[in-house]
Amino acid sequence: MLRLVTEGDVAPDNIEQVTVHAGSNILNPIRYPVAANHLQAKFSLPAALAMIALDRQAGKREFSDAFVASQAMQDMQRRIRTEFDAEIEGQGFDKMRSRITIQLKNGHEISGWADERYRGGPENPLTDAELEGKVRSCCNGVLSPEAQDNLIRTAWSVTDLPDASAIAELIRV
């Protein structure tokens, strides 16, 4: 979803509908077609995709009750549907396979397959900048930007530290 909306420069207001084509290994664990709060959003594929459509990310801020309950988020979730795909199901369960189709209000469609190599895994690792961004996202509102800088700088040099507990001290609040 992120690749499609980013490469296509798709504004949330231009999305008519999103369809996720997947097998049962992805669709069966979905408990909430429209999440009402942060906990439900964790078990809702439409919620995660709506976050990405709206904010180009699905992080700590997006998984908050306020964001999930917002009118924009509620509206976007209702434009996302899931569809069982027998062809994807027939490919087996060794990987997480899915295809997304975004129908735009102007009648155009953008479609693409998800990368089967999960993001952040050994076959598709985060870049250093993405990893640092993830740390900042997790620390936002807890550590100051300067403290985040210090944590990141120290973590990158963990092998030079005489004692790794120095990192734990940096995240004490």
Side-chain angles (χ1 to χ4, degrees), residues 35 59 61 74 76 110 147 154:
R61 185 181 85 78
Q74 290 297 305
M76 184 60 70
I110 299 172
T154 304

Side-chain angles (χ1 to χ4, degrees), residues 78-146:
R78 285 174 173 78
R79 289 187 257 163
I80 298 172
R81 65 185 190 92
T82 59
E83 187 174 294
F84 176 78
D85 187 305
E87 185 178 321
I88 292 173
E89 180 87 359
Q91 293 178 39
F93 303 113
D94 59 318
K95 297 191 178 190
M96 302 298 280
R97 295 179 178 91
S98 64
R99 181 174 39 88
I100 294 176
T101 302
I102 302 172
Q103 292 177 312
L104 302 175
K105 290 182 178 177
N106 67 9
H108 290 101
E109 276 189 4
I110 299 172
S111 185
W113 285 87
D115 191 333
E116 295 174 356
R117 305 164 304 154
Y118 67 90
R119 193 72 185 115
E123 295 177 351
N124 191 13
L126 298 175
T127 66
D128 290 354
E130 289 170 329
L131 183 59
E132 289 180 11
K134 191 169 185 99
V135 169
R136 290 184 191 286
S137 173
C138 291
C139 294
N140 216 8
V142 178
L143 297 178
S144 70
E146 297 79 21

